[in-house]
């Protein structure tokens, strides 16, 4: 309907500016218009194509009508061919020429012919008087440059678009962001992401991207603030995002918050990697009991983590628990024996400690086992005396 109205406007404008169609062409054009109104666009096209005229204005007029009808029928190539002929003829009245060239540029853009679209759009924006439907031309120019990978031109076009005080902001800012990322303008991309989040704070991917960029430029604390703010605002962050937040807490020296964040993930009590991270963070936070509890859970899934648990139990003077844990360990017998020797020594059971040290030395003699044997033998003698 919009295109048909444009046809009618073209006829009226022609009369108003003193340009008239020949009577024959006017009758044919009116008939074609009526056919299109009756949804007989194919017939209207056949009627117009059959017209022969030597008058340049008549030719431009018919070409424009054909272009619009072909566009209506979604026959893009034919629409472009006829609209281009109409525009390039220089016969159309200024306003009609402008709207026709805009149609042509839009068709080039929508059909992926970005190189052809750009000069048409640039011609349109050079018009001295702004047109009612000129809003968005710079955005279309930015889109074309984006598709061609012309990143600097994308940014300059978006900036010019914003000077027109448009209502639409998300799409141009998204184009600008993409260009800034391609140009590795990280700091500027951060500012653009903040602008986008002011418009759509619920967009989780932008929070994630902002935090990643802040980490990339070394602003880890800003990244922590970004993700924690998103969480407070109930943005739907993924498990990966929350794990990233935990790791960032650890990087800025907040291991307790890191451990708490990990502990709230879906598989925190069953995923061995998450259990490992929790235990490490609790240990860094000097929350010994919590670290011990998580190491115990982790060791049930991977036996190698028993040694992390044993080491922490020794540190915290839980020597009986160390002895209980090491009683049935078959791997690394020399390590088991030396660990038990240390535990018995701390409990004051010197002879048992010496027995374990000698057992370790028999399995695999080392400077450590020899040193312990010498030390414990002396302690045993001194105790006997």
């Amino acid at each position: 309907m919009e295109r048909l109205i444009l046809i009618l406007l073209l006829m009226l404008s022609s009369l108003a500016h003193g340009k008239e169609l020949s009577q024959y062409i006017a009758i044919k054009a009116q008939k074609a218009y009526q056919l299109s109104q009756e949804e007989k666009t194919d017939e209207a096209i056949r009627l117009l194509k059959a017209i022969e005229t030597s008058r340049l204005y008549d030719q431009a007029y018919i070409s424009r009508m054909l272009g619009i009808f072909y566009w209506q029928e979604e026959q893009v190539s034919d629409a472009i061919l006829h609209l281009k002929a109409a525009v390039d003829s220089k016969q159309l009245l200024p306003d009609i020429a402008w709207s026709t060239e805009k149609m042509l540029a839009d068709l080039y853009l929508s059909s992926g012919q970005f190189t052809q679209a750009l000069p048409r759009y640039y011609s349109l924006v050079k018009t001295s008087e702004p047109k009612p439907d000129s809003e968005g031309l710079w955005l279309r120019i930015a889109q074309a440059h984006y598709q061609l990978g012309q990143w600097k031109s994308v940014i300059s076009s978006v900036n010019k678009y914003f000077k027109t005080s448009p209502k639409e902001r998300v799409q141009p800012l998204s184009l600008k962001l993409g260009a800034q990322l391609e140009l590795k303008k990280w700091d500027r991309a951060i500012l653009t992401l903040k602008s986008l989040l002011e418009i759509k704070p619920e967009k989780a991917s932008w929070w994630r991207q902002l935090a990643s960029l802040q980490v990339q430029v070394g602003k880890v604390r800003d990244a922590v603030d970004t993700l924690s703010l998103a969480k407070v605002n109930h943005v739907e962050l993924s498990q990966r995002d929350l794990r990233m937040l935990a790791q960032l807490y650890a990087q800025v020296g907040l291991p307790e918050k890191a451990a708490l964040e990990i502990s709230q993930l879906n598989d925190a009590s069953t995923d061995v990697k998450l259990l490992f991270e929790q235990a490490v963070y609790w240990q860094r936070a000097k929350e010994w009991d919590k670290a011990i509890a998580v190491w115990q859970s982790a060791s049930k899934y991977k036996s190698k983590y028993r040694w992390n648990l044993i080491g922490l139990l020794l540190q915290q003077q839980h020597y009986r628990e160390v002895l209980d844990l090491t009683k049935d360990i078959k791997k690394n017998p020399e390590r088991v024996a030396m660990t038990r020797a240390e535990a018995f020594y701390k409990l004051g059971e010197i002879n048992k400690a010496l027995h374990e040290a000698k057992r370790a030395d028999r399995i695999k003699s080392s400077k450590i086992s020899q040193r312990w044997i010498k030390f414990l033998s002396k302690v045993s003698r001194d105790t006997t005396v």
Side-chain angles (χ1 to χ4, degrees):
M1 181 58 69
E2 181 182 347
R3 294 176 193 137
L4 295 175
I5 290 171
L6 286 172
I7 295 170
L8 186 57
L9 287 173
L10 175 56
M11 295 170 66
L12 295 173
S13 296
S14 300
L15 295 172
H17 286 78
K19 276 195 174 184
E20 295 184 17
L21 294 170
S22 63
Q23 186 176 9
Y24 171 74
I25 298 299
I27 292 170
K28 291 289 186 180
Q30 181 61 33
K31 178 61 176 175
Y33 175 74
Q34 289 172 351
L35 287 169
S36 67
Q37 288 284 68
E38 296 168 6
E39 298 185 0
K40 297 177 181 178
T41 309
D42 288 343
E43 289 184 37
I45 289 172
R46 285 195 295 271
L47 186 154
L48 292 174
K49 286 184 70 176
I51 294 174
E52 293 184 6
T53 177
S54 60
R55 293 185 65 197
L56 295 180
Y57 181 68
D58 288 352
Q59 291 173 1
Y61 187 99
I62 296 303
S63 290
R64 186 175 190 275
M65 284 190 76
L66 277 168
I68 293 171
F69 287 152
Y70 276 123
W71 190 359
Q72 188 175 348
E73 292 298 296
E74 297 182 357
Q75 297 179 37
V76 175
S77 297
D78 287 329
I80 288 174
L81 179 68
H82 287 87
L83 290 175
K84 183 176 184 298
V87 172
D88 292 349
S89 72
K90 306 297 183 185
Q91 294 298 309
L92 298 176
L93 302 171
D95 287 349
I96 298 301
W98 193 93
S99 64
T100 306
E101 185 150 34
K102 182 175 181 295
M103 280 190 276
L104 177 59
D106 288 345
L107 270 175
Y108 277 135
L109 183 67
S110 62
S111 61
Q113 300 179 63
F114 309 113
T115 303
Q116 289 83 358
L118 278 170
R120 300 288 175 175
Y121 281 128
Y122 276 113
S123 173
L124 292 167
V125 295
K126 287 176 183 176
T127 306
S128 56
E129 294 182 9
K131 299 293 187 290
D133 54 348
S134 63
E135 185 180 348
L137 288 178
W138 281 111
L139 178 56
R140 289 179 173 86
I141 290 171
Q143 290 169 338
H145 281 304
Y146 190 92
Q147 294 297 330
L148 293 170
Q150 297 167 345
W151 311 120
K152 291 182 179 179
S153 296
V154 172
I155 294 170
S156 63
S157 301
V158 169
N159 289 340
K160 288 174 183 175
Y161 170 74
F162 280 126
K163 288 180 181 178
T164 65
S165 303
K167 294 179 182 178
E168 171 57 34
R169 293 180 58 81
V170 172
Q171 187 182 9
L173 284 172
S174 297
L175 291 172
K176 188 175 184 178
L177 174 63
Q180 289 167 335
L181 292 174
E182 290 290 342
L183 293 170
K184 299 183 179 180
K185 303 289 186 181
W186 311 130
D187 289 324
R188 292 179 184 178
I190 285 171
L191 294 175
T192 303
L193 275 166
K194 288 180 178 179
S195 296
L196 282 166
L197 284 168
E198 287 177 5
I199 303 167
K200 284 194 172 184
E202 72 280 4
K203 190 88 170 179
S205 60
W206 290 341
W207 289 98
R208 182 184 308 121
Q209 200 168 21
L210 176 57
S212 296
L213 283 177
Q214 287 168 331
V215 170
Q216 193 158 343
V217 299
K219 297 179 179 178
V220 180
R221 285 194 174 274
D222 287 350
V224 170
D225 292 341
T226 293
L227 288 179
S228 57
L229 181 60
K231 188 178 178 183
V232 168
N233 289 335
H234 305 292
V235 176
E236 290 188 17
L237 297 175
S238 67
Q239 295 291 294
R240 188 174 179 179
D241 296 332
L242 296 171
R243 190 173 182 179
M244 178 183 175
L245 176 57
Q247 292 166 345
L248 291 174
Y249 274 135
Q251 285 185 46
V252 298
L254 298 170
E256 184 175 1
K257 285 193 173 184
L260 282 170
E261 202 62 53
I262 291 287
S263 70
Q264 294 169 16
L265 296 178
N266 291 341
D267 301 322
S269 59
T270 56
D271 186 307
V272 69
K273 291 181 179 179
L274 296 181
L275 287 167
F276 172 79
E277 288 184 39
Q278 286 179 74
V280 168
Y281 294 149
W282 284 127
Q283 204 160 326
R284 288 183 191 172
K286 298 182 180 180
E287 293 282 353
W288 310 120
D289 290 344
K290 290 178 181 177
I292 287 169
V294 179
W295 281 126
Q296 285 174 333
S297 297
S299 66
K300 292 175 184 176
Y301 293 96
K302 277 202 173 181
S303 58
K304 68 177 184 178
Y305 292 135
R306 281 188 296 187
W307 288 107
N308 298 81
L309 173 59
I310 289 166
L312 187 53
L313 288 169
L314 275 174
Q315 175 188 306
Q316 294 307 111
Q317 303 177 14
H318 299 311
Y319 305 121
R320 291 296 175 193
E321 291 182 46
V322 171
L323 292 171
D324 289 340
L325 276 172
T326 54
K327 186 165 54 179
D328 300 319
I329 296 178
K330 304 301 180 185
K331 289 184 178 180
N332 299 318
E334 71 281 2
R335 184 179 183 184
V336 171
M338 286 308 306
T339 301
R340 291 176 65 80
E342 183 178 353
F344 277 126
Y345 168 71
K346 295 292 186 180
L347 290 167
E349 299 179 26
I350 306 303
N351 290 334
K352 290 181 180 180
L354 182 58
H355 171 76
E356 293 291 348
K358 287 179 178 179
R359 185 165 73 88
D361 193 64
R362 287 196 301 272
I363 296 167
K364 187 177 181 180
S365 184
S366 65
K367 290 182 180 180
I368 295 175
S369 61
Q370 288 289 324
R371 197 178 301 125
W372 267 95
I373 290 170
K374 184 177 179 181
F375 169 72
L376 290 169
S377 295
K378 182 178 183 303
V379 173
S380 179
R381 286 194 301 271
D382 291 346
T383 303
T384 304
V385 173

